[in-house]
């Protein structure tokens, strides 16, 4: 791993003293760290201690970035590999969730294009408050990695979740986050190769309700789509991930929009436009129940099953291809169980996609961690060996960056 550069934003809570230990661990681990203190943080730790530990200038105010041409707040927020907010107080997270920028810390957090890790610490009641939980959920949806606080006795005398995790644990989480995006760019592709591009990714299945408890769906874990969203974000793209129901964490730096049905997915895709690139990885259900029953359908005792009448769902990929707001590069996926390449060639032409990534799903690809794909474009077919889904994602992201270079 190349020496990581951390921008550490320290919030105003008693746990701020542990940030000093974290600075020490980052330095020990080979990283460099630049500290920013909120006004509240300065009541708990001093800029002097942090400057000594980090051996870097410490910033406390928007207005002490005296020379904007030398070190403006935008630059400060961009020259890091990862922004860590520790401790992330209830107030700081509320401001982050609301997109406020009324001091240096919040301005940097709004201006950054780098992954953000928030490490909460606060009183147990504050942590459990609906407002804080709402803000945490919003931040996670926005792509911020928010750690769960530890359980235990608190400085205020209460007991429960809200304690700052121990610094060695935080450092391990930092290493994990740095490892993924930093290993993503393929040979020859620079980290910021997709900076300034908006990429739309669909992933996961859709659920088409039959009644309140039953649905129709395709098999899909969402793993490949999420890995692609992550790899694209690692190349600096602004990524909107429209996701069907999956149990996966939002990749760092990715904006996730959750949907259930194909029609909701189509609307979310439309709302996310314009985009430079769209990668449609979702396994959209081709059909939905014609009418969804308002109440659970009951067996009538006759032994005869109910008749399910189906209606065809909109084809989101084909709709996007025909739209006046068609992304410059439109990529579809094709999950096939036989004649993989032949079907994919026909599908690319039929749906008017630029590329189709075809995979053979006759084995146990669904939910697995590897994939054998063929990239079908107007120029021909490129077959890749069986690769981990993360590696397929990295290569595909690099190929996309290449198409834009
Ligand atoms: N797709 C979509 N909307 C749909 C169905 C599929 O956007 N209603 C997209 C998928 O996200 C994928 C591509 O189209 O990128 C191929 O999906 P697939 O289900 O394999 O194609 P089908 O249209 O079902 O074609 P076929 O019935 O021939 O398999």
């Amino acid at each position: 791993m190349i020496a990581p550069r951390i921008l550490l934003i320290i919030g105003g809570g008693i746990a701020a003293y542990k940030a000093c230990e974290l600075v020490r661990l980052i330095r020990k681990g080979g990283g460099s760290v630049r500290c920013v203190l909120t006004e509240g943080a300065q009541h708990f730790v001093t800029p002097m201690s942090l400057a000594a530990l980090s051996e870097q200038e410490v910033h406390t105010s928007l207005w002490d970035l005296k020379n904007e041409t030398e070190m403006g707040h935008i630059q400060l927020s961009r020259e890091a590999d990862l922004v860590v907010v520790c401790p992330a107080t209830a107030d700081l997270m509320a401001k982050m969730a609301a997109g406020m920028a009324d001091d240096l810390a919040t301005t940097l957090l709004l201006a950054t294009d780098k992954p953000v890790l928030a490490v909460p610490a606060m009183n147990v009641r504050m942590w459990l408050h609906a407002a804080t939980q709402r803000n945490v959920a919003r931040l996670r949806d926005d792509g911020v990695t928010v750690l769960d606080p530890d359980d235990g006795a608190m400085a205020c005398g209460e007991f429960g979740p809200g304690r700052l995790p121990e610094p060695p644990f935080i450092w391990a989480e930092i290493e994990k986050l740095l490892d993924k995006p930093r290993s993503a760019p393929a040979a020859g592709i620079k980290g910021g190769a997709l900076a300034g591009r908006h990429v739309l990714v669909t992933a996961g299945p859709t659920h088409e309700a039959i009644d309140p408890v039953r649905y129709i769906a395709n098999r899909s874990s969402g793993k490949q789509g999420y890995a692609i969203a992550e790899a694209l974000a690692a190349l600096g793209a602004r990524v909107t991930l429209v996701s069907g129901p999956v149990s996966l964490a939002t990749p760092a730096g990715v904006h996730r929009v959750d949907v259930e049905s194909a029609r909701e997915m189509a609307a979310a895709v439309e709302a996310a436009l314009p985009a430079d690139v769209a990668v449609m990885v979702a396994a959209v259900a081709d059909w939905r129940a014609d009418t969804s029953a308002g109440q659970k359908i009951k067996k009538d005792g006759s032994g005869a099953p109910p008749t399910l009448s189906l209606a065809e769902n909109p084809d989101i990929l084909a709709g996007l291809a025909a739209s006046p707001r068609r992304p410059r590069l439109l990529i579809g996926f094709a999950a096939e169980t036989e004649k993989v390449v032949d079907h994919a060639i026909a599908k690319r032409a039929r749906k008017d996609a630029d590329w189709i990534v075809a995979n053979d799903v006759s084995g146990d690809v669904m939910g697995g961690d590897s994939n054998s794909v063929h990239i079908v474009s107007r120029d021909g077919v490129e077959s890749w060996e069986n690769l981990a889904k993360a590696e397929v994602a990295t290569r595909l992201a690099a190929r996309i960056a290449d198409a834009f270079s």
Side-chain angles (χ1 to χ4, degrees):
M1 192 166 69
I2 321 157
R5 296 162 305 172
I6 311 292
L7 179 67
L8 178 61
I9 294 180
I10 303 173
I14 178 65
Y17 77 91
K18 290 194 185 172
C20 299
E21 176 66 5
L22 184 60
V23 170
R24 223 181 46 78
L25 289 176
I26 295 169
R27 303 279 326 268
K28 205 169 139 212
S32 68
V33 53
R34 197 180 264 272
C35 297
V36 170
L37 278 78
T38 64
E39 205 194 323
Q42 295 167 62
H43 293 285
F44 295 96
V45 285
T46 67
M48 182 70 85
S49 321
L50 288 155
L53 287 167
S54 66
E55 293 185 277
Q56 297 231 36
E57 194 182 344
V58 171
H59 303 276
T60 53
S61 154
L62 251 185
W63 318 116
D64 74 10
L65 294 176
K66 293 177 230 75
N67 188 349
E68 274 278 322
T69 51
E70 189 191 308
M71 173 48 79
H73 60 271
I74 299 285
Q75 195 189 338
L76 191 54
S77 75
R78 304 273 168 90
E79 64 169 23
D81 297 304
L82 178 72
V83 181
V84 179
V85 187
C86 175
T89 60
D91 176 66
L92 195 44
M93 287 197 295
K95 285 180 173 161
M96 287 166 73
M100 286 170 68
D102 62 352
D103 63 1
L104 179 62
T106 48
T107 302
L108 294 174
L109 284 160
L110 202 57
T112 192
D113 58 355
K114 294 300 174 348
V116 178
L117 169 71
V119 194
M122 68 196 72
N123 166 272
V124 54
R125 293 282 148 225
M126 291 170 82
W127 170 253
L128 294 175
H129 195 286
T132 304
Q133 291 302 312
R134 199 166 53 234
N135 291 331
V136 168
R138 164 68 65 89
L139 289 173
R140 285 180 173 152
D141 267 356
D142 289 349
V144 175
T145 303
V146 184
L147 297 186
D148 284 324
D150 275 359
D151 249 284
M154 323 207 67
C156 53
E158 292 187 47
F159 193 89
R163 284 166 57 93
L164 192 85
E166 290 307 317
F169 176 83
I170 302 171
W171 169 238
E173 291 298 312
I174 291 174
E175 279 190 299
K176 260 196 249 166
L177 279 173
L178 288 168
D179 221 33
K180 285 194 222 158
R182 290 168 74 82
S183 62
I189 298 290
K190 292 203 187 71
L194 285 171
R197 306 281 179 197
H198 179 210
V199 185
L200 175 62
V201 179
T202 66
T206 62
H207 285 182
E208 313 296 330
I210 296 171
D211 67 17
V213 296
R214 305 178 178 96
Y215 58 80
I216 303 171
N218 286 10
R219 281 185 206 280
S220 169
S221 65
K223 282 182 187 172
Q224 186 63 82
Y226 273 56
I228 289 169
E230 180 168 353
L232 289 162
L235 292 187
R238 177 165 72 84
V239 181
T240 303
L241 173 62
V242 178
S243 173
V246 296
S247 50
L248 295 172
T250 309
V254 167
H255 174 61
R256 169 169 160 185
V257 181
D258 284 319
V259 297
E260 288 261 336
S261 67
R263 287 187 293 178
E264 282 174 21
M265 186 172 274
V269 163
E270 174 76 29
L273 295 175
D276 299 289
V277 186
V279 193
M280 317 296 277
V281 198
V284 184
D286 288 315
W287 302 282
R288 64 177 182 274
D290 207 357
T291 50
S292 161
Q295 302 297 332
K296 184 180 173 190
I297 302 169
K298 305 297 285 181
K299 293 191 280 293
D300 64 7
S302 70
T307 308
L308 204 56
S309 159
L310 300 178
E312 195 167 319
N313 270 328
D315 190 313
I316 306 167
L317 172 59
L320 202 52
S323 144
R325 297 207 286 169
R326 184 194 204 279
R328 270 172 63 197
L329 182 61
L330 183 56
I331 305 170
F333 265 64
E336 306 290 352
T337 55
E338 48 152 14
K339 298 187 199 148
V340 179
V341 171
D342 289 351
H343 283 319
I345 290 171
K347 199 167 281 184
R348 194 202 66 76
R350 192 172 71 243
K351 300 203 182 200
D352 191 26
D354 295 303
W355 307 345
I356 286 280
V357 182
N359 62 337
D360 185 344
V361 291
S362 56
D364 60 353
V365 169
M366 304 291 189
D369 290 318
S370 69
N371 216 347
S372 297
V373 304
H374 310 270
I375 313 290
V376 176
S377 68
R378 279 180 196 87
D379 305 330
V381 181
E382 193 181 302
S383 296
W384 294 353
E385 67 272 27
N386 188 268
L387 296 168
K389 286 182 177 173
E391 183 60 22
V392 170
T394 305
R395 281 209 201 175
L396 188 65
R399 208 175 191 282
I400 292 169
D402 211 28
F404 275 88
S405 68

